[in-house]
Amino acid sequence: MLLDRKDLKGDCERCFGLCCVALPFAASGDFAIDKHSGQPCRNLQEDFRCGIHNKLRQQGFRGCTVYDCFGAGQKISQITFGGRDWRHNPQTAKQMFGVFPALWHLHELLWYLTDALEKQAAESIHTELRVAIEDTEQLTRLSVESLLELDVAAHRAKVNTLLLQASELVRAQAPKNKTNIRHKKTIGRGADLIGAKLQGADLRGAYLRGAYLIAADLRNADLRHADLIGADMRDTDLSGADLRDTLFLTQVQLQSAKGNSSTKLPSSFVHPAHWDK
């Protein structure tokens, strides 16, 4: 079973504004105000739409523009709770907001599993990936009570084993790194690459799982077949970079980064509106 990627992206038209209510945030460079979990954002309208959607960055809500529920919001709204919203059915609110984190994590796993299944280099484990997708999809359709009790961490650990295998297979297909990178920071899992000068670097097949790429200069870098799962790409400059065939990339990472029309992306991604044209 190959899921349609559009089902793993947030669809606000079919959601009851769950991320605008269930999630807390604090006043910072990403949010203009403090908000507690379960408290509706002041910008959420009666129809569950954001009143400043087109000017979130200008109004101090940059954090909202770099978030995606991977489709969990609409599934909870339309399937788990059968179209009953928390405004007209306030008795559902606590449970609805309670299952949101679990569904979010499961849908995130579905995104990564689907990405791995699309990679020809991981063909030897495609059967296992399909089984994992089916198992995870079944979990997303559990009852509210079962979802609240679900050990998501245990399932994530099981899926992670497959994702690691897929990463090794995909990265093995990339040519060996030929760039002499002149800085003292190590390239690898969880690497501290904050502000690293990597312009034009050959990072094909690089293992950047959980790496800190905050404000790193990756202009014109080649990131094909690199593993970017969990990499922090806030303000990373991807102008002119090649991210085609990158593994485990998310739209959220692109939204938090900088780039331009010359940045090469996989076909299922779009250039963020705030990138320089």
Side-chain angles (χ1 to χ4, degrees), residues 19 23-37 39 41 60-64:
C19 65
L23 303 179
F25 50 74
S28 62
D30 289 325
F31 297 101
I33 59 173
D34 291 318
K35 189 190 83 64
H36 300 294
S37 175
Q39 173 189 355
C41 175
F61 289 86
R62 177 179 180 272
C64 297

Side-chain angles (χ1 to χ4, degrees), residues 20-68:
C20 306
V21 188
L23 303 179
F25 50 74
S28 62
D30 289 325
F31 297 101
I33 59 173
D34 291 318
K35 189 190 83 64
H36 300 294
S37 175
Q39 173 189 355
C41 175
R42 70 185 186 189
N43 300 310
L44 186 66
Q45 301 178 136
E46 289 298 315
D47 61 357
F48 305 111
R49 301 294 172 263
C50 175
I52 61 169
H53 181 73
N54 294 324
K55 49 185 177 180
L56 283 165
R57 285 178 174 269
Q58 298 91 317
Q59 295 292 322
F61 289 86
R62 177 179 180 272
C64 297
T65 69
V66 297
Y67 177 81
D68 192 331

Side-chain angles (χ1 to χ4, degrees), residues 188-263:
R189 179 173 184 171
D192 177 2
L193 296 169
I194 298 175
K197 305 301 181 183
L198 296 167
Q199 182 176 0
D202 182 354
L203 296 171
R204 288 175 293 177
Y207 192 37
L208 294 170
R209 186 184 183 97
Y212 295 94
L213 293 165
I214 303 169
D217 184 357
L218 288 173
R219 288 174 295 166
N220 301 312
D222 192 340
L223 289 152
R224 286 175 292 173
H225 300 102
D227 183 339
L228 287 172
I229 193 169
D232 191 335
M233 299 173 67
R234 286 175 291 170
D235 294 323
T236 305
D237 195 341
L238 299 171
S239 300
D242 192 344
L243 287 88
R244 294 173 297 176
D245 298 319
T246 303
L247 187 63
F248 304 138
L249 179 68
T250 68
Q251 189 67 42
V252 170
Q253 289 171 311
L254 296 178
Q255 291 292 138
S256 66
K258 300 175 182 178
N260 60 16
S261 58
S262 297
T263 306

